Amino acid sequence: MKKWFIPIIVIAVIAFGIYRWAVGFNNQAVGLEADAKTAWSNVESAYQRRNDLIGNLVKTVQGAADFERETLTQMIEARAKATATNIDVTQLTAENMAQFQQAQAGLSGALSKLLLVVERYPDLKANQNFLSLQSQLEGTENRINVARDRYNETVNTYDIHIRTFPNKILAGWFGFSAMERYKSDPGSENAPEVNFDFN
């Protein structure tokens, strides 16, 4: 066997090993990024369910002829803004996430106010449709929280994969970058909870 043949074999084995590592890294990163994007879609889906339920709640409340129009108008406007604020999964930037969260926080605030005002309307509080919607909204708030937590977990797995050494080297070459996490709304530690129990 010729002496020059051994270095060529060694180089070929090393090159093949690097190729396999790069392919493995890329394929896993693509899968983890897709999981995180799907998790974000689930967050938006949970918020969409809430928006749909709020639409039905507003229709039920509108049936009360003497219900406070200003509160109802604020609710309708906040819902319209929240529904209009969506993020393309390829644009999950800190700025876009903040706009999305601000719109959803506005809707949560309007919903809280609406439910507090309902206290003054015994007929509305006794309406079975209204009570059913309240119960569904409570469950949806829990779903939203779970969806946000799952999104953050999948982003965390993806970020760890692309930021650990030596994967970090390939991440830049292949165009993978860290994704934004869902953060709590500013001041949310002081926000009052929505009370769905009017009994």
Side-chain angles (χ1 to χ4, degrees), residues 67-89:
F67 193 82
E68 296 179 21
R69 297 295 166 204
E70 181 183 343
T71 302
L72 200 51
T73 300
Q74 289 173 355
M75 179 79 242
I76 292 167
E77 288 172 357
R79 180 177 176 263
K81 184 175 181 183
T83 304
T85 308
N86 289 312
I87 307 175
D88 184 320
V89 291

Side-chain angles (χ1 to χ4, degrees), residues 72-187:
L72 200 51
T73 300
Q74 289 173 355
M75 179 79 242
I76 292 167
E77 288 172 357
R79 180 177 176 263
K81 184 175 181 183
T83 304
T85 308
N86 289 312
I87 307 175
D88 184 320
V89 291
T90 60
Q91 301 296 319
L92 290 171
T93 63
E95 182 180 291
N96 288 341
M97 292 281 278
Q99 286 177 340
F100 181 85
Q101 287 181 248
Q102 185 178 17
Q104 296 303 330
L107 181 57
S108 294
L111 177 60
S112 295
K113 185 175 180 183
L114 178 79
L115 293 175
L116 286 173
V117 170
V118 163
E119 277 292 296
R120 292 179 271 199
Y121 296 86
D123 290 344
L124 193 52
K125 284 179 10 180
N127 181 305
Q128 285 304 311
N129 190 33
F130 186 82
L131 294 173
S132 172
L133 288 167
Q134 282 181 317
S135 176
Q136 290 179 58
L137 275 168
E138 182 179 37
T140 299
E141 292 297 329
N142 291 333
R143 287 184 191 184
I144 288 170
N145 188 47
V146 168
R148 289 186 308 215
D149 288 347
R150 286 184 182 157
Y151 168 73
N152 283 343
E153 287 168 10
T154 57
V155 166
N156 189 56
T157 302
Y158 165 76
D159 282 352
I160 288 170
H161 179 69
I162 66 164
R163 296 177 93 178
T164 53
F165 186 83
N167 291 353
K168 190 175 187 176
I169 298 166
L170 293 179
W173 290 350
F174 290 136
F176 293 104
S177 58
M179 295 179 76
E180 282 296 318
R181 286 173 173 74
Y182 198 101
K183 299 179 179 115
S184 63
D185 300 324

Side-chain angles (χ1 to χ4, degrees), residues 23-34:
V23 168
F25 163 80
N26 184 69
N27 291 347
Q28 187 173 0
V30 166
L32 292 172
E33 185 180 45

